[in-house]
Amino acid sequence: MANNTAGSFPIIAITSGEPAGIGPDIILSTLTEHEFSARFVILADSELLKDRAKTLGLTANIICLEKQDHTIPHKKGDIHVSPITLAQKTIAGTLDVANSPYVLETLKQAGEGCINQKFDAIVTPPVHKGILCETGVHFSGHTEFFQAQCQSPHVVMMLATEAMKVALVTTHLPLKDVSAAITEKSISLVVKALNKDLQEKFNIKHPKILVCGLNPHAGEDGHLGMEEINVIIPTLNKLRQEGLNLIGPLPADTLFTPKYLDDADCALAMYHDQGLPVLKYSGFGNAVNITLGLPIIRTSVDHGTAIDLAGTGKANNGSLKVAIQHAINMANNAKKFSK
């Protein structure tokens, strides 16, 4: 945790995302419309934010951290910027590969700041993976970037709305490869990381986790697949012996109903499109993407760069607002847990 004075608000780093996308728009609209119990450091080009605020007709007080202490609690309209300079002036809606190093530098400084306890959490607006990869640097996503930077052996992807939390055993895999990736090791790593962070970052003392089966009807006693019998059930039983509160494997088509969700803290899906369509139907635009298993706190929006909406004033900032609030709550919980 950052070296804050007792009882002070957490320091949240916010990266600017793809400069030609809606990242700058939603940062500006969120921090001018809402007030948070936090202190913010926006890692961005200050001229980019000034220009975008003018385009959007927003009154934003852009304050360079070289000139003013950033430990002041947030007030609506104040944008405290740790300046990082763009290579080329950005036009909203027009991608420029020359600015890809700028995007990577904002992530690098945010991660280093959390590792060095300068920041308490990172919130990331969307980046454009394609334009980043055009630099010759393979960029598969924020999650993998921070995993490598933190040298974390295993991370867990979780999305959350007010109604539910859904974590994944496997993430961006072709469906044909999922079964082979469902192993005792993969399930155990994810469940233990999930349980630990629900305790430490969400202040849930004894998390109750619902676990999906892989196959329809959770395998129907082996008639619809053997992964449950051969792998999932034995693994869950071992984890229960270690004291984890796990329910399942349950059929995914009934797990996501009030009967189960109302009495649980999180659902664990076996693959990406088993759990996330339900969550996104429930709260798309107001959901948050959370990376668990890192030694730092990182939250993100649930949407992409929306290049066509940049500079139009039509971008919805709901997901960023939720991501910021989750980061604040998690930072406060982590501080309490560490005492």
Side-chain angles (χ1 to χ4, degrees), residues 203-283:
N203 196 30
I204 302 172
K205 292 184 179 179
H206 193 44
K208 183 176 182 179
I209 301 170
L210 305 176
V211 182
C212 291
L214 174 65
N215 295 297
H217 301 180
E220 197 77 72
D221 296 325
H223 296 287
L224 295 176
M226 293 297 292
E227 287 89 351
E228 284 77 12
I229 292 173
N230 291 340
V231 178
I232 299 174
I233 292 173
T235 302
L236 297 185
N237 285 338
K238 287 183 180 180
L239 292 168
R240 290 187 187 103
Q241 291 173 4
E242 297 179 25
L244 280 75
N245 187 8
L246 308 173
I247 310 300
L250 297 170
D253 62 349
T254 55
L255 181 153
F256 293 101
T257 59
K259 173 184 175 181
Y260 292 107
L261 290 177
D262 288 352
D263 190 37
D265 297 302
C266 186
L268 179 62
M270 290 293 138
Y271 57 95
H272 187 280
D273 283 11
Q274 184 182 57
L276 296 195
V278 181
L279 181 134
K280 291 193 175 185
Y281 177 78
S282 154

Side-chain angles (χ1 to χ4, degrees), residues 72 167 316 334:
I72 298 172
N316 185 338

Side-chain angles (χ1 to χ4, degrees), residues 169 182-191 231-232 235-236:
V169 176
I182 302 298
T183 64
E184 178 182 344
K185 180 179 179 180
S186 66
I187 295 172
S188 296
L189 285 170
V190 169
V191 169
V231 178
I232 299 174
T235 302
L236 297 185

Side-chain angles (χ1 to χ4, degrees), residues 3-200:
N3 294 320
N4 303 335
T5 58
S8 62
F9 293 152
I11 300 174
I12 310 297
I14 305 179
T15 57
S16 55
E18 166 52 51
I22 63 170
D25 304 42
I26 59 177
I27 291 170
L28 289 163
S29 62
T30 301
L31 297 185
T32 55
E33 292 172 7
H34 304 285
E35 206 154 277
F36 298 91
S37 297
R39 295 168 286 169
F40 294 110
V41 178
I42 315 303
L43 298 160
D45 186 300
S46 57
E47 293 304 314
L48 163 67
L49 295 179
K50 289 177 183 177
D51 289 346
R52 195 65 60 88
K54 184 176 180 180
T55 298
L56 297 170
L58 294 174
T59 302
N61 184 23
I62 310 295
I63 304 167
C64 180
L65 294 185
E66 293 174 342
K67 300 177 182 178
Q68 184 163 334
D69 185 359
H70 68 276
T71 60
I72 298 172
H74 174 246
K75 293 190 302 182
K76 282 194 291 186
D78 283 356
I79 313 292
H80 290 87
V81 180
S82 179
I84 300 173
T85 305
L86 284 162
Q88 296 290 336
K89 184 179 176 65
T90 292
I91 300 172
T94 302
L95 294 168
D96 189 339
V97 69
N99 286 324
S100 292
Y102 158 86
V103 175
L104 295 173
E105 183 63 22
T106 66
L107 300 181
K108 176 176 174 287
Q109 290 192 25
E112 288 177 349
C114 266
I115 292 167
N116 297 329
Q117 299 188 341
K118 178 181 178 182
F119 308 136
D120 294 300
I122 302 167
V123 178
T124 57
V127 297
H128 194 288
K129 295 178 185 178
I131 204 75
L132 291 176
C133 289
E134 284 188 27
T135 63
V137 176
H138 178 65
F139 184 88
S140 54
H142 282 107
T143 301
E144 293 79 8
F145 181 93
F146 291 123
Q147 180 181 8
Q149 188 181 41
C150 294
Q151 298 181 351
S152 297
H154 192 79
V155 294
V156 178
M157 180 179 177
M158 182 175 82
L159 270 76
T161 65
E162 287 189 10
M164 70 181 82
K165 297 180 182 70
V166 178
L168 305 176
V169 176
T170 64
T171 54
H172 300 119
L173 281 182
L175 193 57
K176 66 181 179 62
D177 296 333
V178 169
S179 177
I182 302 298
T183 64
E184 178 182 344
K185 180 179 179 180
S186 66
I187 295 172
S188 296
L189 285 170
V190 169
V191 169
K192 289 179 180 180
L194 175 60
N195 188 75
K196 179 176 183 290
D197 276 4
L198 287 173
Q199 291 176 324
E200 296 180 8

